[in-house]
Amino acid sequence: VLPERVQSLIKTILPSKMLQSAVIPLAEYLPSSSFDFRALAMPERSYYSFRREGQVLARVCEKHASMNENDNAFWTLSFTNSTFAGEYAESLVQSLYRCPIIQAISFSKKGAE
């Protein structure tokens, strides 16, 4: 059984059970195994554009490329309790073209706790 903090992270990053099974096949989980998984949690807010964040994301991608890290890492962007309008979608897509290491995007909403 996975620790609660790991289960919570997986549920936040990959809210779909089907996607969880495809990306992280826990049926074959061995406690001695490890996942090469990188999640970039974006700030909770209203996004009207992704241009500034895209510039930061591009720097992260450049740094990753310059460090010659393992190319098998699974990178994802996670948005929680955020809203989107304006040129957000267009600028996000442009940023993703410049940063091909991002393989997944997660959108989730947490209720009041």
Side-chain angles (χ1 to χ4, degrees):
V1 175
L2 292 172
E4 181 62 35
R5 64 184 174 79
V6 174
Q7 291 177 13
S8 176
L9 175 66
I10 291 172
K11 189 174 182 180
T12 299
I13 304 301
L14 302 167
S16 162
K17 289 282 188 189
M18 188 182 326
L19 186 56
Q20 288 177 16
S21 294
V23 174
I24 307 171
L26 295 177
E28 301 168 10
Y29 172 70
L30 299 172
S32 61
S33 298
S34 66
F35 300 109
D36 199 359
F37 185 78
R38 315 277 165 73
L40 302 172
M42 301 304 296
E44 287 183 25
R45 66 181 188 86
S46 295
Y47 289 88
Y48 296 97
S49 174
F50 198 75
R51 291 187 193 282
R52 268 185 304 164
E53 294 84 355
Q55 291 172 348
V56 173
L57 185 60
R59 285 189 218 123
V60 169
C61 292
E62 289 169 5
K63 184 173 182 175
H64 170 74
S66 70
M67 293 174 67
N68 294 321
E69 288 188 5
N70 184 355
D71 289 334
N72 294 326
F74 184 90
W75 288 75
T76 185
L77 288 178
S78 175
F79 296 89
T80 304
N81 293 340
S82 296
T83 58
F84 311 95
E87 64 176 30
Y88 167 79
E90 180 183 333
S91 56
L92 173 64
V93 169
Q94 290 173 358
S95 297
L96 292 174
Y97 277 123
R98 290 191 301 264
C99 192
I101 64 171
I102 302 297
Q103 297 172 307
I105 304 173
S106 165
F107 300 93
S108 63
K109 180 169 180 79
K110 290 185 180 177
E113 295 181 18

